[in-house]
Amino acid sequence: MKLFENLYKSVGIDLGTANFLIYVKGRGIVVNEPTLIAINNRTNQILAVGEEANKMLDRTPAHVTLIKPLINGVISDFEMTQEIIRHFFSKLSEHNLFSRYRTAAVSIPTNLTEVERKSVEDAVVSAGASKVLLVEEPIASAIGTRLPIEEPTANMIVDIGGGTTEISIISIGGAVISRSLKIAGQRFNEDISRFIKSEYKLLIGEPTAEALKINVGSAVSTEEKLEMAVRGRDVSTGLPKEIIVRTAQVKTALQKSLKAIADVIKSILEDAPPELVGDILERGIYLSGGGSLLRGLDEYLERELQVETRMVDDPLTCVVRGLGIIIEDTKRYETILSNQEKPKLVNL
Ligand SMILES: Nc1ncnc2c1ncn2[C@@H]1O[C@H](COP(=O)(O)OP(=O)(O)OP(=O)(O)O)[C@@H](O)[C@H]1O
Ligand SMILES: [Mg+2]
């Protein structure tokens, strides 16, 4: 049966709000591109997907629409999500006749409704997978970090992505407590744009806000004095204007969102059973997801929470690497996967 296993090509898919990653069994990460699609809105034709579409950001002519088909980790445009998956599947399987027969392990936020879970499954199946295993993002992230989640010790993982921050306490292969909030990397960009508009009366695009966040942004005061020149449109004159933005300003812009994240983690620690909190105090908090790359975020949370906080290695690929570990050895992770498949009760 080994032969068939190879032909069936299992894949891991991190269908993120900001980034789309695919891990192919036996090969590793083969796709790592923005979750973005450009369409011609006159003809409905797909013009570009992923990195190619990203190059068009903020520079599109009127007939081109750029779509981010996920909002806060949830599919908001089913058809476009399906097109993105189909696009990358077809690139993977150019030389593989058996490409339709794949098992796909797909990461999802923790608080999805049954309908939203079903929509992820349907999108992946209609793009060519034969079987879908849904894995909650913090579990995938913890496995990707190789935390000992099967042991009876609690681990806290905070995944700050583009659209959501997922906070989970994991023990014996399952999430004991999970909370998902819609404050993450994209909200940080919005905070920065809003701040620049109110302080400098300057309108900037999202790529500029993101560049500010990455190049000079910080959650805490820094010794190195970073600054960046940004160009935008003056609100009152409508003309282009350039200003210099420094770390302290980006830090101020982000304070409210960062405080909100810290407060939710704090409330989870306050509500959790003492044994779990004891484990977390001993082991610390693990930060994953691209949003956690914000300069000084670990230090900020450590100070706010009084718990040691550390970043996982390569936080942007941690979820898909976790899915990869699962599909490389599905037998070992059977119990974890069956925990995940339990239908949730929906309160009507
Ligand atoms: N060096 C950096 N500093 C700050 N933020 C960063 C950095 N690099 C990437 N990011 C942010 O990380 C976010 C993307 O992270 P990630 O790929 O983990 O999200 P995602 O998985 O697509 O989203 P989600 O899990 O919320 O659906 C973006 O908002 C991006 O701006
Ligand atoms: Mg993610």
Side-chain angles (χ1 to χ4, degrees):
M1 282 295 112
K2 195 88 193 143
L3 173 69
F4 283 107
E5 262 176 42
N6 288 335
L7 292 178
Y8 280 105
K9 282 241 179 293
S10 297
V11 292
I13 302 175
D14 177 1
L15 184 55
T17 313
N19 294 304
F20 180 87
L21 293 88
I22 299 184
Y23 178 107
V24 176
K25 187 172 178 178
R27 278 174 66 192
I29 301 171
V30 293
V31 174
N32 183 356
E33 302 204 18
T35 316
L36 198 61
I37 184 163
I39 59 160
N40 180 329
N41 46 30
R42 292 191 196 132
T43 60
N44 264 346
Q45 194 193 0
I46 294 164
L47 301 173
V49 179
E51 207 56 73
E52 285 298 313
N54 201 36
K55 286 183 195 148
M56 300 179 175
L57 208 62
D58 268 14
R59 287 183 180 81
T60 47
H63 69 284
V64 177
T65 308
L66 280 175
I67 299 171
K68 286 185 177 173
L70 275 90
I71 296 178
N72 301 124
V74 179
I75 296 178
S76 69
D77 187 329
F78 183 83
E79 204 186 323
M80 288 303 131
T81 304
Q82 194 184 316
E83 290 298 343
I84 292 182
I85 306 171
R86 191 174 288 153
H87 169 86
F88 288 118
F89 269 9
S90 71
K91 274 179 87 174
L92 289 183
S93 54
E94 267 161 11
H95 308 291
N96 182 2
L97 292 175
F98 298 90
S99 61
R100 287 191 59 77
Y101 304 98
R102 289 193 194 91
T103 297
V106 188
S107 58
I108 50 164
T110 49
N111 64 340
L112 288 195
T113 62
E114 263 317 295
V115 175
E116 288 163 345
R117 289 166 78 103
K118 183 79 174 47
S119 124
V120 174
E121 252 182 78
D122 290 348
V124 180
V125 167
S126 62
S130 57
K131 187 178 170 201
V132 179
L133 306 167
L134 297 179
V135 185
E136 291 183 344
E137 193 164 18
I139 303 269
S141 192
I143 294 174
T145 307
R146 301 203 179 266
L147 295 182
I149 64 160
E150 287 144 304
E151 288 170 20
T153 314
N155 286 284
M156 184 178 232
I157 189 131
V158 177
D159 184 284
I160 307 176
T164 58
T165 291
E166 303 273 333
I167 305 157
S168 272
I169 299 180
I170 300 169
S171 180
I172 329 180
V176 186
I177 301 175
S178 293
R179 197 78 62 82
S180 174
L181 70 156
K182 294 173 182 169
I183 300 176
Q186 287 178 357
R187 174 70 69 86
F188 298 164
N189 295 352
E190 290 158 21
D191 291 338
I192 294 169
S193 298
R194 201 174 316 115
F195 181 86
I196 300 292
K197 187 178 167 201
S198 74
E199 289 291 305
Y200 299 97
K201 309 285 170 267
L202 190 72
L203 295 175
I204 56 169
E206 209 208 327
T208 307
E210 167 125 348
L212 272 174
K213 174 178 72 178
I214 293 176
N215 297 331
V216 303
S218 178
V220 295
S221 303
T222 52
E223 291 210 342
E224 45 175 346
K225 298 278 169 263
L226 301 167
E227 58 179 44
M228 188 181 143
V230 298
R231 281 182 217 107
R233 187 153 44 87
D234 189 294
V235 178
S236 43
T237 65
L239 296 171
K241 188 167 93 174
E242 185 180 286
I243 56 163
I244 302 288
V245 180
R246 299 188 171 79
T247 302
Q249 287 140 349
V250 182
K251 179 183 154 239
T252 308
L254 297 176
Q255 279 313 295
K256 201 166 151 228
S257 292
L258 297 178
K259 182 80 174 42
I261 293 176
D263 284 348
V264 175
I265 305 177
K266 210 180 278 174
S267 74
I268 291 177
L269 288 171
E270 280 162 6
D271 294 345
E275 299 74 34
L276 299 187
V277 177
D279 290 346
I280 293 162
L281 278 178
E282 200 178 305
R283 302 182 48 81
I285 296 173
Y286 292 85
L287 289 184
S288 70
S292 69
L293 285 166
L294 177 70
R295 214 172 268 102
L297 188 52
D298 45 356
E299 191 186 326
Y300 172 85
L301 290 175
E302 192 163 298
R303 206 172 54 205
E304 289 286 313
L305 305 166
Q306 299 293 309
V307 182
E308 191 186 337
T309 305
R310 63 175 78 96
M311 294 244 305
V312 306
D313 288 338
D314 201 359
L316 280 158
T317 61
C318 171
V319 167
V320 85
R321 282 185 285 111
L323 297 172
I325 293 171
I326 292 173
I327 57 169
E328 295 288 356
D329 190 359
T330 20
K331 270 253 141 346
R332 172 165 174 206
Y333 293 100
E334 242 161 27
T335 358
I336 292 180
L337 292 172
S338 61
N339 284 346
Q340 309 274 307
E341 280 167 14
K342 251 186 246 151
K344 275 188 185 162
L345 285 176
V346 182
N347 293 322
L348 293 173

